[in-house]
Amino acid sequence: MADTDSEVRQMHTDFEELEDAEDLFPEPAATQESGPASLPAEDIGTNSNGPRQDLLFDDDPEDLFAEATEEVSLDSPERDILLSDGPSPAITPITPPSSVITPCLGHDDMFIKSSFNEIDEEEEEEEESDSFNMHISVSDPEKVGDGMNAYMAYKVTTKTSMSLFKQNEFAVKRRFSDFLGLHSKLASKYLHVGYIVPPAPEKSIVGMTKVKVGKEDQSSNEFVEKRRSALERYLMRTVKHPILRKDPDVLQFLESSDLPRAVNTQALSSAGLLRMVNKAADAVNKMTIKMNESDSWFEEKQQHFENLDVQLRKLHISIESLVCHRKELSINTAQFAKSAAMLGNSEDHTALSRALSQLAEVEEKIDQLHQDQANADFYLFSELLGDYVRLLTAVKGVFDHRMKTWQKWQDSQLLLQKKREAEAKLQLNNKPDKLQQAKDEIKELEVKVQQGERDFEQISKTIRKEVSRFEKERVKDFKTIIVKYLESLVQSQQQMIKYWEAFLPEAKAIS
Amino acid sequence: MLRVLLLCKVQTVGSTQLSELLQSQQPTLRSVSVDLNNDASLLIDIPDALCERDKVKFTVHTKTTLSSFQKPEFSVPRQHEDFIWLHDTLVETEEYAGLIIPPAPPKPDFESPREKMHKLGEGEATMTKEEYTKMKQELEAEYLAVFKKTVQVHEIFLQRLSSHPILSKDRNFQIFLEYDQDLSVRRKNAKEMFGGFFKNMVKSADEVAALWPCYLSHCFKIKDSTAKAEKMTRSHKNIADDYIHISATLNSLSAEDTTASKTHLEKLSDLFEKLRKVEGRVASDQELKLTELLRYYMRDIQAAKDLLYRRARALADYESSNKALDKARLKSKDVAQAEEHQQQCLQKFDRLSESGKKELTGFKGRRVVAFRKNLIEMAELEIKHAKNNVTLLQGCIEMLKSN
């Protein structure tokens, strides 16, 4: 039963994706906006999995998708049932959409292919009909608990007018491991099919320990602020992704007041260690896979991302250096201000004494300007670059998954060939019972090979789309944030002008 | 490798180029102190200098209407050591005990840019050719700035002398200006003669403190302010260097970009290149107007302190001559001699007190004027640079938004 549930669950997810593509759906918008009550009667009931499965065996593709709209409406009670299940079982890797549908249908591969083709054109239209309008803020960090078990709880507020959500504005409390848990789920669902899942902010044992121990000082405040900002950016990036934002785990994360704790995210847990081992194994495998690249686009893009990675890292280092020096300037200016004040105090010439005191005041204000500017340098420019360096790791990851998918396909092809040769031998030696077994195995493998090829084509297609989206986002992102950053510089300079212009008459007044 | 190249370059910069460079500077940037060179009877300036392996050769140019000089206009080459000789000679001259002798110019110090050049050479492999060229340019500019500063400080020393009613008439000063041969021979003789008598006397801080109570704390505070101002300038320079690296990396990013970002990155790279030039100027202006002002003030205070010290010694001499006179009277021996000595001491003390008072008043007045001038100029320059920055930034924002 559990298997069917999870399988069906996957189909729900899959259909959600497919839904984007087809505009054969009768009034998709209407269905989505209506509440549970307005759904057709046949949908209601815990065993609504039943009718769905019947539909799958329907030969008429159009009908299949026509029904699917109503089924898949996110306001449907089915979704609530799914979500009210205990801990999200989705931590287990989910096989890609086509592999779930295909065994059931068995025959019509072309149908699947064509529908996926339409996704390309339809996606643009779909995005415009329900355009992205969401704003997520992470705020009000609050320490919960004491000692080493303490943690920071953040308020996650979502403001949206999108029909995807029940309300226009809502807030929940989340802790850092919740974010990591969300990312872990999304990564396991989407990375291996080629979607670029934004990486979660990094863990910091040192940083968190300080907070737990209760040090209320500058550096732990800065750490919390840095984390809060990073979590906000993470969520915004995740929901900007048209597929990810519809994921039930994302919706649950944003909306439901209770979230089961994600325990596998701890660095020192067994899951954490397993992750590390897997990463190492992957790295070794990557080196040994020699792929016959039939599509130069992928090679070019990979090279492009490699170069981009190198340059962004370099730029990141330069910006970090800038932040450091700007902070130093602020400190040095403050020290000079104090020194000038003392000098002014010990000066017996009254006008000069006053001018020196005024100089001290100006410099003190300017040191605050520099401090603020250093923050802008960091939170806008530096963190942007840091985010993209991490994002590029995810991008490189999907390319690697494609290679793995290709490898899997090749492996099953090789195996098929071997089995065919074995079968031929068996035929010669005339061993009927073993022959039948061999023929069955071959049939299975043929299916597997076809599946492998489809998977490979699917992931290639997805990656193309994702890369195009990623690049568009990157251009927009950079431009927006850089403009903001430059505006912060302008403000700082304009303020500087004000301060010095106020000082000038004081200097002129010295006689 | 680099060092040699740079030094060669500065050498070939030679007389013509450097004087052009100095002239192209606004006149306000040249003197820390007040306009000293206004008495047409004796006008001195250093129009040129040559740098050879850290030894600087200054060309001292004099224009005069005074008959005490052989020619109305002439130039002589002088080294830093010659300036020191002149200063020490003046300090040792008994006649000038009641005057504040302008502080000697500090030795030319190219340590900082030289060290940076060395580091740059080591880090050459990690940067692009463009970056490296820009960094080198920055360093050369810094080297030149040190050079200009040292010329300025030597020039001011001479101008302070020429504008002083008594010191300008000093014979040694005249020799310094006029003597067209090498002074090194004279320098050696002078050392032998005086042996740095006054200079090397242990100067008791207590004696001075008694006369000028806040002297010590004031001196300390100025030293502190100078050091802190230097740190500020260094931070500005570091930021300017960061801008160079940022600009270069943005350029590389732009070259490889095929999306709409390409033009964004180009413009941004360009912007940072321009910003770093402004930042560099902020750093150098702050140094000239603020740090140099404080440094000069610090040295000037030393000179004033020396005067007070001499006066204190004169007082001590007078008191001991009094005691000697009393003794002589008791013994009825050499009374006339003792009386005369006492009179001399008293006269000296009175003379020093009187001229000392005048000098100190002049010193304080000069100081106030110098501070006023430099603080005004610094504020004006800060405003100018900030406005420049705003224009550059807003221009870039406009271009980015319109794309």
Side-chain angles (χ1 to χ4, degrees):
Chain A
M1 216 41 216
D3 285 328
T4 331
D5 277 348
S6 59
E7 233 184 66
V8 171
R9 191 134 180 263
Q10 291 156 23
M11 283 192 279
H12 278 251
T13 327
D14 310 336
F15 278 119
E16 282 165 27
E17 292 172 47
L18 295 173
E19 181 202 356
D20 297 348
E22 285 293 320
D23 67 351
L24 298 174
F25 304 155
E27 305 162 41
T31 328
Q32 283 184 321
E33 276 156 4
S34 59
S38 57
L39 278 174
E42 63 213 350
D43 294 345
I44 299 169
T46 36
N47 220 13
S48 44
N49 298 339
R52 174 67 72 59
Q53 275 184 325
D54 288 343
L55 286 168
L56 280 171
F57 294 107
D58 200 307
D59 280 330
D60 190 344
E62 289 204 23
D63 277 351
L64 177 83
F65 285 106
E67 297 293 328
T69 324
E70 294 164 340
E71 301 282 319
V72 178
S73 158
L74 290 155
D75 297 331
S76 78
E78 284 150 58
R79 178 175 153 242
D80 289 341
I81 292 163
L82 286 169
L83 291 177
S84 64
D85 284 347
S88 164
I91 291 179
T92 55
I94 298 172
T95 46
S98 42
S99 63
V100 173
I101 299 174
T102 320
C104 305
L105 287 169
H107 51 282
D108 212 337
D109 301 337
M110 288 317 295
F111 138 71
I112 301 290
K113 272 215 179 101
S114 66
S115 62
F116 281 152
N117 277 335
E118 278 149 61
I119 290 176
D120 280 326
E121 305 125 46
E122 307 308 326
E123 180 121 329
E124 320 294 319
E125 282 184 45
E126 189 279 332
E127 280 189 38
E128 282 169 38
S129 66
D130 193 9
S131 60
F132 180 70
N133 180 3
M134 275 179 81
H135 184 76
I136 301 184
S137 59
V138 174
S139 58
D140 305 329
E142 224 178 26
K143 188 169 162 200
V144 177
D146 264 317
M148 286 315 283
N149 289 328
Y151 63 90
M152 281 307 226
Y154 302 89
K155 182 166 155 203
V156 177
T157 314
T158 313
K159 289 197 185 113
T160 176
S161 62
M162 289 175 83
S163 47
L164 209 55
F165 300 92
K166 295 185 202 153
Q167 293 168 284
N168 277 0
E169 187 170 335
F170 44 93
V172 291
K173 281 260 182 210
R174 294 284 177 255
R175 55 184 290 188
F176 186 64
S177 55
D178 294 335
F179 290 82
L180 293 181
L182 174 65
H183 172 256
S184 167
K185 288 179 198 165
L186 293 175
S188 62
K189 276 196 252 188
Y190 296 102
L191 264 182
H192 65 259
V193 284
Y195 288 99
I196 299 172
V197 177
E202 279 162 357
K203 286 193 262 258
S204 165
I205 298 176
V206 174
M208 258 334 270
T209 311
K210 267 205 205 153
V211 174
K212 288 187 198 206
V213 164
K215 281 189 90 186
E216 275 286 326
D217 65 347
Q218 178 76 355
S219 69
S220 53
N221 286 342
E222 271 178 23
F223 171 77
V224 171
E225 175 54 29
K226 191 175 163 186
R227 179 163 274 194
R228 181 210 66 78
S229 172
L231 291 172
E232 199 173 89
R233 292 194 311 270
Y234 164 66
L235 284 180
M236 280 305 286
R237 285 223 170 81
T238 305
V239 298
K240 276 199 186 135
H241 194 296
I243 304 296
L244 293 179
R245 69 167 162 267
K246 298 196 175 105
D247 184 280
D249 285 318
V250 172
L251 298 167
Q252 184 187 30
F253 181 92
L254 292 174
E255 283 182 324
S256 73
S257 43
D258 286 307
L259 199 66
R261 254 201 84 185
V263 286
N264 289 337
T265 58
Q266 283 156 355
L268 302 174
S269 68
S270 56
L273 287 170
L274 187 66
R275 265 197 299 277
M276 279 198 286
V277 170
N278 283 338
K279 255 196 206 157
D282 280 348
V284 173
N285 285 338
K286 197 162 83 161
M287 290 193 283
T288 54
I289 295 178
K290 279 260 154 160
M291 183 163 155
N292 286 340
E293 189 57 79
S294 54
D295 193 343
S296 63
W297 183 92
F298 287 91
E299 252 179 64
E300 279 168 29
K301 283 297 172 189
Q302 261 180 304
Q303 191 56 48
H304 161 69
F305 285 124
E306 279 294 329
N307 294 342
L308 190 62
D309 187 43
V310 167
Q311 294 300 332
L312 284 182
R313 277 177 203 268
K314 202 169 167 215
L315 189 59
H316 191 210
I317 291 172
S318 298
I319 301 289
E320 284 185 322
S321 170
L322 175 66
V323 172
C324 181
H325 288 142
R326 191 100 63 190
K327 284 201 174 128
E328 269 176 26
L329 177 61
S330 166
I331 293 171
N332 290 339
T333 309
Q335 285 181 341
F336 174 76
K338 284 203 191 88
S339 187
M342 289 211 294
L343 197 63
N345 279 344
S346 64
E347 176 57 54
D348 42 355
H349 189 277
T350 20
L352 184 55
S353 164
R354 193 174 52 237
L356 284 171
S357 308
Q358 293 286 38
L359 179 68
E361 267 180 47
V362 168
E363 295 286 1
E364 213 181 297
K365 288 188 200 144
I366 288 178
D367 107 67
Q368 188 55 47
L369 268 185
H370 287 311
Q371 180 64 37
D372 294 339
Q373 188 54 57
N375 283 338
D377 290 340
F378 177 73
Y379 284 105
L380 290 173
F381 211 165
S382 177
E383 289 283 76
L384 170 71
L385 291 169
D387 286 349
Y388 268 89
V389 166
R390 282 190 291 274
L391 266 168
L392 280 176
T393 320
V395 172
K396 285 199 257 185
V398 297
F399 278 92
D400 290 343
H401 276 297
R402 178 173 172 269
M403 274 211 289
K404 275 200 251 177
T405 312
W406 180 84
Q407 189 65 56
K408 229 173 116 185
W409 173 31
Q410 295 302 310
D411 286 345
S412 45
Q413 250 188 342
L414 270 167
L415 196 59
L416 177 64
Q417 201 175 349
K418 279 209 188 104
K419 289 278 175 183
R420 283 205 173 121
E421 286 169 5
E423 186 213 19
K425 269 210 197 119
L426 285 173
Q427 263 195 332
L428 279 170
N429 298 345
N430 203 6
K431 294 219 170 111
D433 44 338
K434 280 205 178 145
L435 194 63
Q436 186 53 42
Q437 188 188 17
K439 280 205 198 284
D440 288 337
E441 281 178 357
I442 286 176
K443 261 239 158 64
E444 269 177 44
L445 272 173
E446 278 176 345
V447 166
K448 212 169 166 205
V449 166
Q450 279 174 342
Q451 186 56 50
E453 187 176 3
R454 262 201 302 275
D455 287 346
F456 178 70
E457 280 174 16
Q458 181 56 36
I459 196 177
S460 301
K461 189 182 267 171
T462 307
I463 290 180
R464 274 180 187 269
K465 252 195 295 153
E466 281 288 286
V467 164
S468 149
R469 193 191 63 85
F470 174 82
E471 293 283 79
K472 269 198 217 132
E473 265 304 308
R474 174 170 75 93
V475 171
K476 235 192 327 165
D477 224 357
F478 266 73
K479 182 165 148 180
T480 315
I481 294 184
I482 293 295
V483 167
K484 235 196 210 165
Y485 172 66
L486 293 181
E487 282 172 349
S488 82
L489 281 173
V490 169
Q491 238 189 338
S492 165
Q493 292 296 303
Q494 282 173 332
Q495 200 53 30
M496 186 103 70
I497 293 173
K498 281 205 189 103
Y499 290 152
W500 284 112
E501 279 180 343
F503 173 74
L504 203 52
E506 282 297 331
K508 289 189 171 155
I510 306 173
S511 58
Chain B
M1 203 31 60
L2 280 151
R3 274 181 59 187
V4 173
L5 279 171
L6 176 63
L7 290 172
C8 285
K9 185 177 178 192
V10 180
Q11 254 186 302
T12 53
V13 164
S15 31
T16 25
Q17 235 173 305
L18 186 62
S19 51
E20 274 169 24
L21 270 161
L22 290 176
Q23 270 163 27
S24 67
Q25 286 268 293
Q26 299 150 0
T28 49
L29 287 174
R30 291 190 67 188
S31 63
V32 162
S33 184
V34 200
D35 297 312
L36 297 162
N37 230 15
N38 15 33
D39 184 4
S41 64
L42 185 61
L43 292 169
I44 306 178
D45 71 323
I46 301 182
D48 266 322
L50 206 68
C51 184
E52 255 168 40
R53 309 202 115 265
D54 290 357
K55 263 209 171 313
V56 187
K57 272 209 173 74
F58 303 93
T59 307
V60 180
H61 167 252
T62 315
K63 229 178 172 177
T64 177
T65 57
L66 299 172
S67 52
S68 47
F69 292 91
Q70 288 174 4
K71 288 186 267 189
E73 187 166 353
F74 47 88
S75 291
V76 289
R78 290 288 177 253
Q79 287 178 37
H80 171 72
E81 286 72 24
D82 300 329
F83 287 76
I84 301 301
W85 163 80
L86 177 60
H87 172 262
D88 291 350
T89 316
L90 294 170
V91 165
E92 310 278 352
T93 309
E94 182 69 35
E95 260 179 77
Y96 306 143
L99 307 175
I100 296 178
I101 311 291
K107 194 168 165 148
D109 178 23
F110 295 98
E111 188 55 43
S112 168
R114 205 177 332 138
E115 216 183 289
K116 266 177 115 175
M117 189 67 100
H118 185 66
K119 269 198 202 135
L120 179 63
E122 286 179 346
E124 187 178 350
T126 63
M127 14 184 146
T128 66
K129 196 161 173 249
E130 221 181 71
E131 243 175 303
Y132 178 74
T133 318
K134 290 217 179 104
M135 291 290 289
K136 206 167 113 180
Q137 275 176 8
E138 268 291 307
L139 266 173
E140 283 172 3
E142 201 174 312
Y143 202 88
L144 208 63
V146 171
F147 196 11
K148 275 189 263 179
K149 242 195 304 167
T150 192
V151 165
Q152 175 182 291
V153 108
H154 285 75
E155 193 180 69
I156 287 171
F157 171 68
L158 294 177
Q159 288 173 347
R160 282 278 294 274
L161 289 175
S162 68
S163 53
H164 195 287
I166 299 171
L167 292 172
S168 58
K169 303 196 176 73
D170 181 79
R171 176 83 192 113
N172 285 309
F173 183 44
Q174 195 175 342
I175 291 172
F176 178 93
L177 292 174
E178 231 183 2
Y179 189 62
D180 55 1
Q181 306 279 313
D182 199 352
L183 282 178
S184 48
V185 181
R186 280 200 165 241
R187 281 195 272 129
K188 258 190 261 163
N189 293 344
K191 256 211 175 106
E192 281 156 18
M193 272 181 71
F194 294 114
F197 178 61
F198 264 105
K199 259 184 93 183
N200 296 331
M201 268 207 302
V202 173
K203 291 175 180 170
S204 163
D206 297 329
E207 291 180 19
V208 181
L211 295 165
W212 190 356
C214 36
Y215 163 72
L216 271 178
S217 67
H218 210 59
C219 204
F220 171 75
K221 282 170 192 165
I222 297 197
K223 245 194 184 148
D224 187 56
S225 294
T226 312
K228 304 270 157 72
E230 270 172 17
K231 274 169 114 175
M232 273 204 299
T233 308
R234 213 173 318 145
S235 287
H236 277 295
K237 287 207 184 119
N238 284 339
I239 290 176
D241 283 345
D242 285 330
Y243 283 173
I244 293 181
H245 295 302
I246 293 170
S247 173
T249 315
L250 286 169
N251 212 6
S252 312
L253 272 167
S254 161
E256 291 175 9
D257 201 291
T258 47
T259 66
S261 262
K262 192 183 180 78
T263 25
H264 298 166
L265 293 165
E266 253 174 48
K267 288 175 185 156
L268 205 60
S269 165
D270 199 38
L271 172 69
F272 271 97
E273 171 59 22
K274 296 200 178 105
L275 285 178
R276 72 110 175 163
K277 290 211 176 107
V278 177
E279 193 71 23
R281 261 176 247 138
V282 168
S284 64
D285 286 343
Q286 190 181 76
E287 173 145 54
L288 269 177
K289 296 293 148 189
L290 191 60
T291 319
E292 273 304 294
L293 170 70
L294 291 168
R295 278 197 203 113
Y296 187 73
Y297 181 21
M298 201 166 63
R299 287 195 291 268
D300 227 8
I301 284 190
Q302 300 273 62
K305 181 202 72 167
D306 288 349
L307 163 62
L308 290 175
Y309 178 75
R310 289 193 288 270
R311 181 178 170 274
R313 280 246 70 94
L315 181 59
D317 286 344
Y318 172 61
E319 281 167 358
S320 64
S321 78
N322 259 337
K323 288 201 190 104
L325 180 59
D326 288 339
K327 242 202 221 162
R329 281 186 179 145
L330 269 168
K331 287 189 185 160
S332 298
K333 202 182 162 192
D334 298 322
V335 176
Q337 219 177 3
E339 270 178 359
E340 209 195 306
H341 181 61
Q342 188 237 36
Q343 275 307 304
Q344 275 176 356
C345 287
L346 179 62
Q347 272 170 21
K348 180 174 176 188
F349 176 67
D350 284 338
R351 181 167 55 91
L352 288 187
S353 296
E354 204 184 300
S355 80
K357 220 194 289 180
K358 243 195 294 181
E359 287 280 303
L360 278 175
T361 316
F363 164 77
K364 285 186 177 162
R366 248 198 334 268
R367 185 175 51 102
V368 170
V369 174
F371 264 82
R372 179 176 189 277
K373 177 171 182 269
N374 282 283
L375 287 177
I376 291 174
E377 281 169 7
M378 184 173 83
E380 286 173 347
L381 284 166
E382 290 270 357
I383 293 170
K384 177 175 148 204
H385 292 317
K387 281 190 175 156
N388 208 353
N389 274 338
V390 168
T391 315
L392 287 171
L393 287 163
Q394 281 177 334
C396 191
I397 292 173
E398 277 307 309
M399 284 199 283
L400 285 176
K401 278 186 172 164
S402 66
N403 243 44

